[in-house]
Amino acid sequence: AGLIVSFGEMLIDFVPTVSGVSLAEAPGFLKAPGGAPANVAIAVARLGGRCAFLGKLGDDEFGRMLAAILQENGVDDAGVSFDAGARTALAFVTLRADGEREFMFYRNPSADMLLTEAELNLDLIRKAAIFHYGSISLITEPCRWAHLKAMEAAKEAGALLSYDPNLRLPLWPSAVEAREQILSIWDQADIIKVSDVELEFLTGTESVEDEVAMRLWRPCLKLLLVTLGEKGCKYYTKDFHGSVESYAVKQVDTTGAGDAFVGALLGKIVEDQSALQDEKKLRDLLRFANACGAITTTKKGAIPSLPTAAEAMQLMGSA
Ligand code: ATP
């Protein structure tokens, strides 16, 4: 199968050892490696696909730990560079008892934000059948410019471009800027996945109705997806649209569900692009992606809970 290259940030989330506390109340924290583009790369590899991660880490204990995690999980790290002067990004994150997520980021600036155009592994980018990215790498220079150049190189070499904005509002200077920048690269993508929350944010409308989602449609898009948590997902192509239900699971921690969904989707599309034109194939593929997302919610953390293909098939078979 073709190579998937996932571009962007990899970092460590520090999550409280006990649930339902504020950051200040937390008695201690556990390291949870993450960063959506890195999670997607590992999701692809765990499902048996070929994937490389492209981004920058600090030349420190945590950066080397993250690179080792990529390797242990079968992700090519030839596109990873290290910054001698800046630290690996850290985020402290908790789900408080009132259901609110509380974040504290240590990125002042972190190594991922300092990736330059000169550091891009263009050989790797040009080998990509699918080039995937988010929007956090658009927040500051020089990474923003490197991101745009990487997209350009991938497109020129014939890759499909896949975009999951993964909105993290506290990282942006303002909501207006977040919306503008996220939408500034909308027209280049072939595949876009948003969550229901991102759809509402980007359209400014509190609804996930088809006519609202269609405001995010562009003629050059091949597939637009809206994920709906336990309700599954909606899909839109130029010829057809619909929705696919997910599988019932006991949800423990949703972190990484969207990334597992994207990894499963891209892993299947890289094997057979005809799913983009064939509604039956696409619906089968989305059932698999939903199962992968669902399984990821059943355990704490993103990377430990990403499923194998056998686990996903088992959930689908038992439904
Ligand atoms: P993330 O938490 O990684 O940011 P997201 O908001 O991008 O996730 P979700 O919509 O939460 O994405 O989940 C992605 C997919 O995973 C859904 O479309 C669905 O198929 C599956 N999923 C998520 N939560 C559940 C659940 N509780 N039960 C069943 N399936 C789920």
Side-chain angles (χ1 to χ4, degrees), residues 193 195 227-230 232-233 246-247 249 251 254 256-259 261 290 293-294 297:
K193 174 250 160 194
S195 66
T227 58
L228 308 167
E230 63 178 13
C233 65
S246 190
Y247 297 87
V249 290
Q251 180 179 311
T254 65
D259 305 327
F261 177 93
N290 282 343
T297 70

Side-chain angles (χ1 to χ4, degrees), residues 207-229:
S207 155
V208 293
E209 292 299 315
D210 290 338
E211 71 244 31
V212 177
M214 287 309 287
R215 289 190 222 155
L216 297 180
W217 180 258
R218 299 290 184 279
C220 46
L221 260 178
K222 295 192 171 67
L223 176 63
L224 172 66
L225 293 159
V226 180
T227 58
L228 308 167

Side-chain angles (χ1 to χ4, degrees), residues 38-207:
N39 292 342
V40 168
I42 294 174
V44 170
R46 191 152 306 161
L47 292 168
R50 280 174 62 215
C51 201
F53 174 74
L54 208 146
K56 199 174 196 188
L57 300 168
D59 189 10
D60 51 34
E61 286 301 310
F62 287 155
R64 284 185 288 273
M65 179 193 99
L66 293 178
I69 287 170
L70 290 173
Q71 287 167 12
E72 283 157 21
N73 283 282
V75 175
D76 181 347
D77 68 342
V80 174
S81 48
F82 292 90
D83 194 290
R87 294 289 195 213
T88 301
L90 309 181
F92 288 79
V93 52
T94 187
L95 189 61
R96 293 192 320 222
D98 61 7
E100 283 299 305
R101 226 171 250 284
E102 204 182 347
F103 287 103
M104 246 171 92
F105 294 97
Y106 282 72
R107 290 163 49 93
N108 39 356
S110 49
D112 57 298
M113 300 158 75
L114 299 174
L115 182 74
T116 64
E117 181 185 358
E119 287 165 326
L120 291 175
N121 184 333
L122 287 171
D123 286 342
L124 191 61
I125 294 173
R126 291 191 186 115
K127 282 190 205 135
I130 298 181
F131 185 74
H132 174 76
Y133 45 87
S135 72
I136 288 170
S137 40
L138 292 176
I139 299 176
T140 44
E141 298 294 357
C143 184
R144 177 179 164 275
W145 183 249
H147 178 149
L148 298 178
K149 286 291 163 185
M151 279 172 60
E152 199 179 294
K155 188 135 213 164
E156 265 172 31
L160 281 179
L161 299 196
S162 159
Y163 183 23
D164 173 357
N166 244 295
L167 176 70
R168 287 290 175 275
L169 207 45
L171 291 178
W172 291 91
S174 70
V176 172
E177 187 146 347
R179 194 176 291 115
E180 252 176 47
Q181 286 290 332
I182 287 172
L183 292 173
S184 73
I185 58 167
W186 213 256
D187 293 355
Q188 277 100 306
D190 298 289
I191 300 168
I192 296 179
K193 174 250 160 194
V194 292
S195 66
D196 40 6
V197 176
E198 287 158 351
L199 173 63
E200 293 177 1
F201 173 78
L202 291 169
T203 59
T205 307
E206 267 186 50
S207 155

